[in-house]
Amino acid sequence: MTDAYPELYLRLPRGGPEARGRLLGEKGASGSQRFVIAAGSPAQTNVVPSFAARKPTSYRTRQQLISQGHLRHSERWPGYLEAAWDIECTSPSAAAEILRGCSVNGWGEWKSADGQPLAHFDHMSTAPNRAWFIRGSNVTGVDLVQRLWLAEGLVTVAASRLRQGVEANPDRNVLRTLVEEDYESAATYNQKQELVEALHVFLTRMKPDDTVCTRSDGRLHVGKVTGAVEQIASEDGRSNLRRPVDWQDTSYEWEELPEELRQKLSVQHDVVDLTAVQALIEGLGLTDEQLADEAEATVSDLSAELPALTARRKLELPEPDQALTDRLSVHSAAWLREVRDLLWDEKQLVFYGPPGTGKTHLALKLAEFLGGGPEQVKLVQFHPSYSYEDFFEGYRPKEDPKTKEVGFRLTAGPLRELADRADKEGNRHIPHFLIIDEINRANLAKVFGELYFLLEYRRQTLRLTYSGDDFSLPDNLFIIGTMNTADRSIALVDAAMRRRFAFVELSPRTEPTSGLLRRWLAGKEKEAERADLLDELNRRIDDVDFQIGPAYLMKPGVDREGGLERTWRTKILPLLEEHHYGENVNVEKRYGLASLRAALAARGNGPVA
């Protein structure tokens, strides 16, 4: 054992006995650092069903050790196997996998007597492992995946002009300088930027036990990084930077991959961070039962759910029930179910109608019901000066908390914030809702920008204007807009928006709005007079876009003494005065309470005021 590494211990699941081991100074043929399991160390008797598919090399090595008697039934620990003598393994992870019978990150699980993980002693990051996509099917016209990577257990990055002897774990600034000097006239500015990012991932961020994926011949290949990076001078210059990888024996048909994973893999970069969909990758080729068995073997908290199982949960919108129908005073649950189905099919919907028809209230309450609570709902209001930078992202003035200096910093808007939350690992089966109040009061083409495309093509990815990120709108993000037709007729909405949104009318002439006030009054055991007055009022308004909604008469102030008259005088009549501006109409005589009550009394609907 070298002086640099202490004796290390590995606890078997469910409070089992501890195995011992040590890290060797030399590396194996694949470039991974070798590890020795100490004689007398315990091992699990059985392996999880997915072990052979997920970790074929470790599975075959374990089976060989058992057949040769190197791992045999233990007398010291009944129910376990035991190492008959020291067992040399290709890496710390391989050693841990052989003992536990499942996929394990050995750099994190092998620990010193005081609980420090092995990664700490090798100056490696102890952050959770990540997943990466490395493009290798067309490296200057050659498919390295089939020719080199799978055959020799490698993943590589072409850096033919990068000088030899690059220091370990260089930061971006160092890499940027090296690329500028070494590729001065051999690459464009954008190519250099791409190369810097790819090199930074491969040299600095990637580490042993990270998942790595690549695509070749229409299939996805998945493996685990097993060692440190190595720089060589390859003959053709296509594979100068290398890392050893334990590739799975099984590959996966492109068309059978989960949609979210295919979307991430479609990004046009040579190196792509797939950590956001890592759980989907971990579950490839495994049934729910196999994943549950793996969780039982690897997760110490029995109440915890394996991320791969969480990622498989399907997005659903609950079906509106009678309780919601009664709570919203809607005429039927079937109408709410139709709205739900429109949201499911279109992802975007607009409630439109005259003022006071309860568009915003209905949008909020329906979103809270479908999303499972107010935490999944965000509301914004559009106005004429609202912009893309306000709505999605842009540079905004912000004060530095330390220096107190004000500078422009990239800031996410409400849509970007909600989209990022909805696309977070573990959240993709939970519906999230953005309510856009007064959606027609802004310049929609200006506000949405390139997002107009994504509203229609959710599966596509676009490069964002400011951050440069590759972005797509997640499937579990729904948008409900409200449109006041008294401000702008629906006929004036451009064709692009009409194609991307479903439009649902909320008008005093049709249900659920026409009978809303009457149902609400009946539920509150109040007199129906104000419903009769509202119906008579709307009968006298010829333009349906200016009819009055029931919300004005459902507020607490209406029930106070003189409240109805006050609401009529200060809320309703001013709207109608504006509507008839310049027409020489006596609004009070035509729409005043006295006139309406007289008409109702004449028809036998109520007393003369």
Side-chain angles (χ1 to χ4, degrees):
M1 183 173 69
T2 65
D3 295 336
Y5 301 100
E7 187 170 43
L8 300 166
Y9 302 88
L10 178 79
R11 175 73 65 182
L12 296 186
R14 305 290 180 262
E18 275 188 333
R20 295 177 297 109
R22 63 186 185 275
L23 193 68
L24 298 178
E26 68 270 16
K27 294 183 179 180
S30 66
S32 57
Q33 198 155 355
R34 303 188 71 80
F35 192 94
V36 169
I37 300 171
S41 291
Q44 293 287 105
T45 302
N46 300 315
V47 302
V48 299
S50 61
F51 187 40
R54 292 280 286 275
K55 304 299 295 184
T57 303
S58 295
Y59 174 78
R60 288 192 291 265
T61 301
R62 177 186 161 95
Q63 293 300 103
Q64 185 178 16
L65 290 171
I66 292 174
S67 66
Q68 294 173 347
H70 294 209
L71 278 178
R72 59 193 181 191
H73 289 288
S74 175
E75 296 182 1
R76 190 187 327 179
W77 295 294
Y80 291 90
L81 301 177
E82 184 177 335
W85 47 78
D86 287 357
I87 299 173
E88 188 169 321
C89 305
T90 56
S91 69
S93 291
E97 288 161 355
I98 289 168
L99 296 176
R100 284 194 176 178
C102 61
S103 180
V104 181
N105 176 1
W107 294 90
E109 294 298 322
W110 285 105
K111 297 178 181 178
S112 63
D114 60 355
Q116 293 289 338
L118 174 58
H120 171 79
F121 297 99
D122 209 39
H123 305 291
M124 291 171 50
S125 170
T126 55
N129 288 99
R130 306 181 70 86
W132 309 96
F133 175 76
I134 311 291
R135 202 173 301 279
S137 60
N138 183 9
V139 181
T140 60
V142 174
D143 186 347
L144 289 183
V145 178
Q146 301 295 333
R147 178 178 293 191
L148 178 68
W149 294 7
L150 300 179
E152 298 192 20
L154 294 171
V155 65
T156 67
V157 167
S160 57
R161 297 181 181 275
L162 188 67
R163 69 193 65 179
Q164 289 291 313
V166 177
E167 66 180 38
N169 300 320
D171 63 26
R172 275 194 181 89
N173 291 330
V174 171
L175 285 173
R176 193 171 288 112
T177 300
L178 293 178
V179 169
E180 284 292 336
E181 293 176 356
D182 296 349
Y183 289 80
E184 182 177 5
S185 60
T188 66
Y189 169 78
N190 187 61
Q191 289 171 336
K192 293 175 187 175
Q193 291 293 103
E194 291 269 354
L195 182 58
V196 168
E197 291 303 315
L199 292 176
H200 185 252
V201 166
F202 204 79
L203 293 169
T204 303
R205 300 186 65 195
M206 190 179 290
K207 61 183 185 294
D209 277 303
D210 277 4
T211 300
V212 63
C213 306
T214 193
R215 183 184 178 187
S216 176
D217 292 335
R219 302 187 70 84
L220 184 72
H221 300 269
V222 180
K224 290 280 188 179
V225 177
T226 59
V229 68
E230 181 184 13
Q231 186 180 19
I232 68 167
S234 62
E235 293 181 1
D236 56 8
R238 294 187 176 97
S239 55
N240 293 40
L241 293 174
R242 303 182 171 200
R243 280 185 182 270
V245 172
D246 182 14
W247 293 103
Q248 294 181 16
D249 291 341
T250 305
S251 59
Y252 307 96
E253 184 70 35
W254 175 259
E255 295 301 327
E256 296 177 359
L257 298 177
E259 188 65 42
E260 297 92 334
L261 178 55
R262 276 191 288 166
Q263 189 178 62
K264 295 290 185 183
L265 292 170
S266 298
V267 175
Q268 299 299 310
H269 298 299
D270 290 336
V271 179
V272 181
D273 189 344
L274 296 180
T275 306
V277 290
Q278 186 172 2
L280 292 173
I281 299 170
E282 298 295 335
L284 289 175
L286 303 180
T287 65
D288 289 352
E289 291 75 16
Q290 288 174 321
L291 286 173
D293 290 337
E294 186 168 303
E296 187 175 351
T298 58
V299 179
S300 58
D301 183 0
L302 294 176
S303 65
E305 183 178 67
L306 203 66
L309 283 172
T310 303
R312 287 187 176 183
R313 290 189 184 182
K314 298 298 184 183
L315 172 66
E316 293 181 350
L317 290 180
E319 187 169 302
D321 53 17
Q322 191 59 45
L324 179 67
T325 305
D326 295 340
R327 193 159 63 248
L328 297 178
S329 299
V330 174
H331 65 297
S332 75
W335 185 86
L336 288 174
R337 285 194 289 270
E338 182 180 79
V339 173
R340 170 211 179 264
D341 292 344
L342 282 172
L343 275 169
W344 181 260
D345 294 337
E346 304 294 334
K347 304 297 183 184
Q348 295 94 223
L349 177 148
V350 170
F351 288 129
Y352 71 96
T357 47
K359 300 179 290 294
T360 305
H361 174 78
L362 178 61
L364 282 169
K365 294 303 179 185
L366 187 60
E368 289 176 7
F369 173 82
L370 297 175
E375 309 83 33
Q376 279 72 251
V377 181
K378 183 183 287 287
L379 183 143
V380 297
Q381 187 175 61
F382 280 5
H383 51 77
S385 63
Y386 208 69
S387 68
Y388 175 93
E389 291 77 10
D390 299 315
F391 185 51
F392 191 72
E393 69 177 13
Y395 285 94
R396 315 292 295 176
K398 276 194 171 183
E399 183 182 71
D400 188 295
K402 294 182 179 179
T403 65
K404 303 300 180 183
E405 293 181 354
V406 176
F408 283 87
R409 295 175 177 83
L410 187 61
T411 305
L415 177 56
R416 182 69 196 264
E417 289 177 345
L418 191 63
D420 288 347
R421 191 189 313 161
D423 199 38
K424 187 177 179 181
E425 188 176 14
N427 279 358
R428 296 188 187 101
H429 64 286
I430 301 173
H432 289 68
F433 287 83
L434 179 68
I435 310 298
I436 305 177
D437 201 27
E438 306 285 5
I439 191 171
N440 55 318
R441 296 190 67 208
N443 183 333
L444 296 178
K446 174 184 176 184
V447 170
F448 279 97
E450 70 269 23
L451 303 178
Y452 240 12
F453 174 82
L454 296 180
L455 289 173
E456 187 171 8
Y457 299 99
R458 290 289 184 109
R459 305 294 187 186
Q460 299 298 316
T461 301
L462 287 180
R463 177 68 64 88
L464 294 175
T465 303
Y466 286 98
S467 65
D469 293 342
D470 295 290
F471 178 80
S472 60
L473 280 173
D475 267 352
N476 59 330
L477 175 59
F478 300 86
I479 299 175
I480 303 178
T482 70
M483 178 184 293
N484 188 341
T485 53
D487 287 342
R488 184 181 181 187
S489 170
I490 188 175
L492 298 179
V493 176
D494 65 44
M497 182 179 175
R498 291 181 66 89
R499 189 172 69 249
R500 287 161 172 80
F501 285 78
F503 285 80
V504 176
E505 184 179 24
L506 293 180
S507 170
R509 61 179 175 170
T510 58
E511 289 287 16
T513 310
S514 59
L516 176 61
L517 180 57
R518 200 171 299 277
R519 288 188 295 270
W520 182 81
L521 290 169
K524 299 289 185 180
E525 297 183 348
K526 297 178 184 293
E527 295 292 333
E529 183 205 17
R530 66 181 92 167
D532 296 333
L533 290 167
L534 184 63
D535 289 345
E536 178 62 25
L537 172 67
N538 284 325
R539 271 193 289 269
R540 300 185 180 197
I541 302 174
D542 297 327
D543 190 339
V544 295
D545 287 338
F546 282 87
Q547 290 183 345
I548 304 301
Y552 293 104
L553 303 178
M554 297 170 69
K555 297 180 179 179
V558 180
D559 292 320
R560 291 198 290 269
E561 184 177 352
L564 178 60
E565 289 75 12
R566 185 165 51 251
T567 298
W568 213 272
R569 185 179 69 254
T570 62
K571 295 288 187 179
I572 294 176
L573 293 183
L575 287 173
L576 297 170
E577 287 174 353
E578 180 183 358
H579 173 49
H580 289 291
Y581 180 76
E583 296 180 8
N584 198 28
V585 173
N586 188 328
V587 171
E588 176 64 38
K589 183 177 180 179
R590 184 170 179 177
Y591 303 116
L593 282 177
S595 175
L596 300 177
R597 282 172 170 156
L600 291 173
R603 290 201 301 269
N605 289 63
V608 177

